[in-house]
Amino acid sequence: MGATRESRTSDHVAYRFPDGARRLVPTNIAPGRARQMLAETQERYGTGRYRANTDPLRSAIEKPGAPVVDTARLALSRHARERFELMADQANLRALELRDAVQYPERVLWSPMHCSWLWVRGRIIVAVVIGDDGAFVIRTLLWATEELWEQNPRPEPEAEPA
């Protein structure tokens, strides 16, 4: 379904999905819970390869209390930096678009699946998490429409050997 194994401990195995979602699978998972997790994952990503042309806002909801981004306390994660570079190469995404999305969003939504706020403006979605210290970290950047995903697909992920 497009995930790569991120880490393995005696307690769990962590998988990272192409949209940035991270799933922890306990090593002592009960069969019923395993079936439930698999069904939830298949519902989101399908049973085959990950398709990037799904609605990027499919799990987003309206939620009161969206914070205002303090740009002085804003940082990009390594993944967000890589996404920005890819999107700039693919479709000339500019830093100005990123700044405008977090300062002047058209919509701000909540992603319960990723526990992050989504600032939406124009052709991009900026997923932001807020640290315990109040700093804003851009977790990832996404195209805002299925059409943009079709025009600008992500490269195939390199799977870690099992």
Side-chain angles (χ1 to χ4, degrees):
M1 289 177 268
T4 56
R5 189 174 64 212
E6 197 174 60
S7 64
R8 175 182 279 170
T9 69
S10 59
D11 296 328
H12 67 268
V13 178
Y15 293 94
R16 176 73 62 185
F17 286 83
D19 65 353
R22 187 170 189 252
R23 271 321 268 266
L24 297 179
V25 180
T27 53
N28 63 346
I29 192 167
R33 178 67 181 128
R35 280 190 297 275
Q36 179 185 5
M37 285 182 79
L38 179 60
E40 290 168 357
T41 305
Q42 286 177 330
E43 181 179 330
R44 180 170 175 88
Y45 299 104
T47 55
R49 298 177 65 148
Y50 173 73
R51 295 176 318 153
N53 64 344
T54 56
D55 178 9
L57 296 174
R58 66 192 161 278
S59 64
I61 59 171
E62 298 283 340
K63 181 178 174 181
V68 174
V69 173
D70 177 358
T71 55
R73 301 192 69 202
L74 180 65
L76 272 82
S77 69
R78 186 186 70 164
H79 173 75
R81 218 174 275 114
E82 291 169 357
R83 288 287 300 140
F84 178 81
E85 291 169 5
L86 175 63
M87 294 166 79
D89 286 345
Q90 289 177 322
N92 197 31
L93 180 67
R94 297 169 302 149
L96 181 62
E97 285 179 84
L98 176 58
R99 189 210 64 199
D100 285 353
V102 295
Q103 285 188 319
Y104 314 107
E106 294 166 353
R107 295 189 297 167
V108 179
L109 302 167
W110 174 252
S111 173
M113 178 166 281
H114 304 294
C115 297
S116 62
W117 290 98
L118 305 175
W119 275 262
V120 182
R121 182 180 174 92
R123 57 190 191 146
I124 63 170
I125 300 167
V126 182
V128 177
V129 293
I130 303 169
D132 293 336
D133 62 355
F136 295 85
V137 178
I138 298 175
R139 178 182 281 170
T140 192
L141 303 172
L142 305 166
W143 294 117
T145 66
E146 291 181 46
E147 293 78 21
L148 284 166
W149 279 108
E150 288 173 9
Q151 295 166 11
N152 305 290
R154 290 186 192 196
E156 292 295 320
E158 294 182 22
E160 177 182 318

